[in-house]
């Protein structure tokens, strides 16, 4: 969770550097990139076995060499197509046509997707930022069910100056477990409660934002839950934004008793729930194609006004045509696509099983119903409780715990992360995902097998 920033701190930065207040706010808050760069300077490889192993970043590195080889062999620079301005920043006709076909076949869109329904931007975070800017006036809100991907908050707040409104579950009557995050009824209650809270705070709500498959829980939303969320949005004239960046990263997990296949919101007939111009999907090349560095995101929307609004600022977010062509070639190669998707799903299943077996052998609880993405949600709550002070079973809730206890537990969460880093492994704290209960962490398993085994072993040594 972000600390409060005082006006005094902002004023000092504006005077010292001659910045705007909004940029001074960001300077005071800081950013992670210096730490990321330092970590990357000593990253684990078979030739550098003492290097840092990152199990905290939700990348899929398993087939990067294969994707790199495919691009090298399939894409050549065509000066007329790649080195000029072309048709402008909204996306190459080649990629937009390929994506329309991809959404129709792989996402099974209920209404056919046209290439004019698609815009290209540099990554899904850019898509979400552009949507927030286009939908929200300053200080208007977007509801996001908890826990949620750490990038959602800046996507809503930074440029749009919107307000993110967490929808909590644990405080609801009848809540039992994290499975309730995927329950139609519990989502209805959580969203209605968040909407009422926003109204009481004087915040006008404009949209609901979800990740499907869910990040950080790694589970796909059931179709009936998506319909309930769409119904809520439709009845309140809200936009529904679905981040589906892990759509093709679904795998078999025999331990998951309640997992469901991936269902895109565009595959459903939602005509009785919500107007289709209020439904938008964000997708990208980064996760499913092991290519986060290509920086290609996709907005799929049947809202002509919204497409026009995002197009008006797309000149600031222009993806190179050569990069777009690389992905288009993959999407149009049916044989490659089918083989790659199958191989990726098998590898994700294998690596997930390695991580789960390790967790079970060392009695580390985890959320059991993951079947998508590259990560697991693990329970280290007992390590945030001080047994010397007989705190076992103490309240780790971010909403009901006394402030003094909450700050103490947040400090211990930070210390746990530091100790992991000192031992050469990075994981992500639950507070980064606005967890409702401190002590949960996200670990990622889509790394080289030797690195995964070594990283998991290092995870144990922080207790020493």
């Amino acid at each position: 969770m972000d600390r409060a920033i005082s006006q005094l701190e902002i004023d000092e930065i504006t005077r010292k550097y001659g910045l705007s207040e909004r940029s001074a706010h960001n300077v005071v808050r800081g950013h992670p990139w210096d730490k990321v760069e330092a970590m990357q300077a000593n990253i684990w490889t078979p030739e550098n076995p003492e290097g840092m192993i990152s199990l905290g970043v939700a990348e899929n590195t398993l087939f990067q060499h294969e994707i790199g080889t495919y691009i090298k062999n399939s894409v050549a620079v065509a000066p007329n197509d790649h080195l000029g301005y072309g048709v402008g920043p909204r996306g190459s006709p080649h990629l937009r046509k390929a994506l329309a076909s991809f959404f129709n076949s792989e996402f099974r869109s209920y209404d056919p997707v046209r290439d004019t329904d698609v815009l290209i931007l540099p990554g899904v975070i850019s898509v979400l930022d552009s949507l927030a800017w286009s939908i929200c006036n300053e200080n208007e809100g977007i509801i996001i069910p908890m826990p949620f991907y750490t990038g959602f908050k800046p996507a809503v707040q930074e440029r749009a100056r919107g307000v993110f409104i967490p929808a909590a579950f644990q405080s609801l009557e009848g809540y039992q477990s994290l499975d309730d995050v995927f329950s139609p009824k519990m989502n209805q209650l959580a969203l209605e409660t968040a909407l009422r809270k926003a109204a009481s705070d004087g915040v006008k709500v404009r949209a609901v934002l979800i990740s499907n498959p869910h990040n950080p829980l790694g589970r796909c939303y059931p179709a009936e839950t998506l319909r309930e969320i769409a119904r809520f949005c439709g009845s309140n004239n809200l936009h529904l934004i679905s981040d589906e960046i892990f759509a093709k990263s679904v795998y078999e997990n025999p331990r998951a008793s309640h997992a469901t296949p991936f269902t895109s919101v565009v595959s459903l007939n939602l005509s009785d729930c919500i107007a289709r111009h209020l439904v938008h999907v964000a997708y990208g090349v980064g996760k499913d194609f092991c290519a986060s560095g290509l920086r290609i995101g996709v907005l799929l929307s049947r809202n002509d006004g919204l497409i026009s609004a995002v197009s008006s600022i797309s000149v600031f977010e222009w993806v190179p045509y050569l990069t777009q062509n690389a992905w288009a070639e993959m999407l149009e190669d049916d044989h490659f696509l089918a083989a790659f998707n199958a191989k990726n799903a098998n590898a994700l299943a294998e690596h997930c099983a390695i991580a789960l077996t390790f967790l079970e052998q060392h009695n580390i609880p985890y959320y059991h119903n993951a079947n998508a993405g590259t990560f697991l949600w693990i329970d280290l709550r007992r390590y945030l409780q001080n047994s010397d002070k007989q705190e076992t079973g103490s309240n780790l809730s971010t909403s009901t715990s006394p402030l003094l206890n909450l700050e103490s537990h947040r400090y211990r969460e930070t210390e746990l992360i530091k100790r992991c880093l000192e031992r050469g492994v990075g994981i992500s704290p639950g507070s980064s995902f606005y967890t409702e209960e401190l002590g949960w962490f996200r670990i990622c398993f889509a790394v080289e097998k030797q690195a995964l085994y070594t990283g998991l072993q290092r995870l144990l040594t922080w207790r020493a």
Side-chain angles (χ1 to χ4, degrees):
M1 303 288 182
D2 295 334
R3 70 174 181 88
I5 294 175
S6 70
Q7 187 62 44
L8 185 63
E9 292 175 288
I10 294 174
D11 291 344
E12 181 181 353
I13 293 296
T14 59
R15 285 194 300 268
K16 184 175 182 179
Y17 298 107
L19 302 179
S20 67
E21 284 199 2
R22 64 175 180 269
S23 66
H25 181 278
N26 289 358
V27 170
V28 174
R29 190 181 58 202
H31 59 78
W33 306 121
D34 290 340
K35 293 179 181 177
V36 170
E37 188 170 334
M39 185 182 297
Q40 289 295 320
N42 184 36
I43 205 71
W44 182 96
T45 66
E47 295 74 32
N48 183 30
E50 301 304 315
M52 178 68 66
I53 296 174
S54 176
L55 302 184
V57 179
E59 279 193 297
N60 183 347
T61 64
L62 299 177
F63 298 106
Q64 286 182 340
H65 288 294
E66 181 171 330
I67 293 296
T69 299
Y70 184 93
I71 293 173
K72 181 179 178 181
N73 294 337
S74 302
V75 179
V77 176
N80 290 339
D81 294 332
H82 300 148
L83 303 184
Y85 287 124
V87 297
R90 295 185 300 176
S92 78
H94 185 189
L95 180 56
R96 293 169 75 184
K97 180 181 178 182
L99 280 165
S101 177
F102 178 79
F103 284 128
N104 286 327
S105 60
E106 299 294 328
F107 284 44
R108 301 182 180 183
S109 181
Y110 181 81
D111 293 316
V113 176
R114 309 164 300 169
D115 55 3
T116 53
D117 299 328
V118 174
L119 283 182
I120 311 302
L121 295 160
V124 166
I125 198 70
S126 293
V127 174
L128 300 177
D129 164 75
S130 297
L131 283 169
W133 181 87
S134 301
I135 291 170
C136 293
N137 294 308
E138 191 167 331
N139 296 321
E140 293 182 336
I142 295 180
I143 297 176
I144 312 175
M146 301 169 75
F148 54 82
Y149 166 55
T150 184
F152 282 176
K153 183 181 179 182
V156 171
Q157 288 189 327
E158 291 298 347
R159 181 160 56 163
R161 298 295 160 185
V163 178
F164 82 100
I165 303 164
F169 288 85
Q170 290 192 8
S171 58
L172 299 175
E173 183 178 354
Y175 175 86
Q176 295 182 329
S177 72
L178 286 169
D179 284 334
D180 288 332
V181 173
F182 302 91
S183 157
K185 180 62 176 177
M186 296 301 280
N187 269 273
Q188 177 193 6
L189 292 174
L191 294 172
E192 288 176 347
T193 302
L195 185 63
R196 288 195 298 270
K197 176 67 165 55
S200 69
D201 292 339
V203 177
K204 181 178 181 179
V205 176
R206 300 302 304 273
V208 171
L209 170 59
I210 63 171
S211 57
N212 178 38
H214 193 284
N215 183 1
L217 298 183
R219 179 177 171 183
C220 303
Y221 277 94
E224 57 270 25
T225 305
L226 293 174
R227 291 185 60 83
E228 191 60 51
I229 295 171
R231 188 174 292 111
F232 169 83
C233 290
S235 63
N236 291 285
N237 195 33
L238 305 178
H239 294 262
L240 170 56
I241 304 167
S242 183
D243 174 357
E244 301 185 356
I245 194 171
F246 289 103
K248 303 301 292 182
S249 296
V250 180
Y251 56 87
E252 290 292 327
N253 178 9
R255 294 170 169 88
S257 58
H258 294 97
T260 56
F262 170 70
T263 301
S264 172
V265 292
V266 298
S267 71
L268 302 173
N269 179 5
L270 299 176
S271 59
D272 60 335
C273 301
I274 187 173
R276 73 174 196 161
H277 76 276
L278 293 176
V279 179
H280 321 292
V281 167
Y283 186 63
V285 69
K287 310 302 184 181
D288 292 345
F289 291 86
C290 306
S292 301
L294 287 186
R295 307 309 305 149
I296 310 178
V298 185
L299 167 62
L300 167 58
S301 176
R302 275 61 176 261
N303 185 324
D304 292 340
L306 179 68
I307 292 290
S308 181
V310 176
S311 295
S312 73
I313 55 173
S314 61
V315 69
F316 305 117
E317 302 175 302
W318 199 323
V319 180
Y321 278 99
L322 182 61
T323 308
Q324 294 185 52
N325 237 37
W327 195 21
E329 292 291 336
M330 284 186 260
L331 294 175
E332 292 178 335
D333 189 337
D334 293 339
H335 176 74
F336 167 81
L337 203 58
F340 179 80
N341 285 339
K343 190 183 333 184
N344 189 44
N346 289 336
L348 290 174
E350 180 185 7
H351 283 240
C352 177
I354 290 171
L356 292 180
T357 298
F358 174 88
L359 295 173
E360 290 165 357
Q361 288 174 344
H362 297 281
N363 300 312
I364 298 175
Y366 59 89
Y367 178 63
H368 276 75
N369 286 311
N371 72 325
T374 61
F375 38 78
L376 295 166
W377 193 235
I378 68 171
D379 180 2
L380 302 180
R381 285 177 291 177
R382 66 182 183 268
Y383 299 114
L384 266 62
Q385 296 164 333
N386 189 338
S387 58
D388 294 338
K389 295 183 179 180
Q390 298 181 335
E391 285 185 349
T392 301
S394 64
N395 186 2
L396 293 170
S397 169
T398 57
S399 59
T400 63
S401 177
L403 181 60
L404 187 61
N405 288 352
L406 187 60
E407 291 304 317
S408 173
H409 292 137
R410 283 178 176 163
Y411 172 77
R412 292 175 197 167
E413 179 191 65
T414 301
E415 287 300 301
L416 190 154
I417 290 292
K418 287 181 179 178
R419 290 198 295 273
C420 285
L421 290 172
E422 289 168 357
R423 285 152 178 81
V425 61
I427 62 175
S428 297
S431 60
S432 295
F433 303 93
Y434 295 84
T435 179
E436 294 188 66
E437 191 171 16
L438 294 175
W440 290 87
F441 294 76
R442 193 190 71 176
I443 63 168
C444 302
F445 53 75
V447 297
E448 186 175 336
K449 197 174 294 184
Q450 186 181 348
L452 179 59
Y453 281 120
T454 304
L456 291 171
Q457 288 296 330
R458 291 179 183 178
L459 190 59
L460 294 178
T461 65
W462 71 266
R463 297 176 296 180

